[in-house]
């Protein structure tokens, strides 16, 4: 019953809106009457203001964003490498090492570096490097230089 009432009310509001937009006035539930100009006038955002805002990124901001993108790519490679490690019976699902690698992936996606993610998650860097190597063999993986 509530659904039907809601449906009828929303269709009534929609029909009133289309009547107002087309210029036809009818009795409505609302005491205020709108003209088509009131309904169709939306505030415009100046194009120059938004354009100049994006162009004025500093060099530091650009470097930070690039590092973030690389960190996310590394996390995606490690995540895929973790699937391959599970298939090879190297790191099984749900084990302590599996959860530690998941922590490292989350840290990388939040912008931590590879060394920081390795240190904070407790996963040796060699393990992350091997998972990343396996993950880079997937189709669609981008190549980049990691130090």
């Amino acid at each position: 019953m509530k659904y039907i009432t809601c449906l009828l009310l929303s269709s009534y509001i929609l029909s009133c809106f289309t009547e107002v937009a087309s210029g036809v006035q009818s009795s409505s539930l609302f005491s205020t009457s709108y003209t088509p100009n009131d309904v169709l006038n939306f505030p415009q955002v100046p194009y120059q203001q938004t354009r100049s805002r994006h162009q004025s990124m500093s060099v530091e901001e650009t470097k930070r964003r690039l590092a973030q993108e690389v960190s996310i790519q590394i996390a995606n490679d490690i995540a895929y490498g973790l699937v391959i490690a599970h298939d090879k019976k190297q790191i099984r699902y749900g084990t302590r090492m599996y959860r530690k690698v998941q922590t490292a992936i989350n840290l990388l996606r939040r912008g931590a570096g590879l060394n920081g993610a390795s240190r904070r998650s407790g996963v040796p860097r060699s393990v992350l490097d091997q998972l990343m190597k396996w993950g880079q063999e997937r189709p669609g993986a981008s190549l980049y230089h990691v130090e």
Side-chain angles (χ1 to χ4, degrees):
M1 185 67 180
K2 290 180 185 179
Y3 177 74
I4 295 173
T5 305
C6 182
L7 187 63
L8 289 174
L9 182 62
S10 62
S11 65
Y12 176 75
I13 292 171
L14 183 61
S15 66
C16 288
F17 177 75
T18 54
E19 288 175 2
V20 168
S22 65
V24 177
Q25 292 289 331
S26 66
S27 64
S28 67
L29 294 176
F30 306 109
S31 60
T32 319
S33 63
Y34 295 102
T35 64
N37 292 336
D38 292 337
V39 174
L40 299 177
N41 285 338
F42 296 108
Q44 297 294 321
V45 177
Y47 177 71
Q48 288 291 15
Q49 183 181 5
T50 57
R51 183 176 174 202
S52 64
R53 209 164 156 206
H54 292 292
Q55 289 178 346
S56 65
M57 277 196 317
S58 65
V59 174
E60 294 82 20
E61 178 71 18
T62 304
K63 286 181 182 178
R64 187 189 64 77
R65 285 188 182 198
L66 181 62
Q68 177 75 21
E69 289 176 14
V70 169
S71 183
I72 290 172
Q73 274 294 3
I74 292 170
N76 291 341
D77 290 343
I78 292 173
Y80 193 80
L82 190 59
V83 172
I84 293 173
H86 177 73
D87 290 343
K88 293 183 177 190
K89 296 182 173 49
Q90 299 290 321
I91 300 175
R92 302 299 290 177
Y93 176 80
T95 61
R96 182 176 294 153
M97 180 56 75
Y98 184 90
R99 292 191 309 264
K100 286 182 179 182
V101 172
Q102 287 291 339
T103 301
I105 290 168
N106 287 332
L107 289 168
L108 284 165
R109 287 190 174 144
R110 289 188 302 191
L114 196 54
N115 288 330
S118 170
R119 182 177 34 82
R120 289 173 60 191
S121 66
V123 179
R125 172 73 191 258
S126 59
V127 172
L128 291 179
D129 288 338
Q130 181 61 50
L131 291 173
M132 187 170 47
K133 181 181 173 188
W134 285 339
Q136 287 174 348
E137 295 171 1
R138 75 182 190 280
S142 65
L143 300 176
Y144 45 81
H145 177 68
V146 177
E147 297 177 6

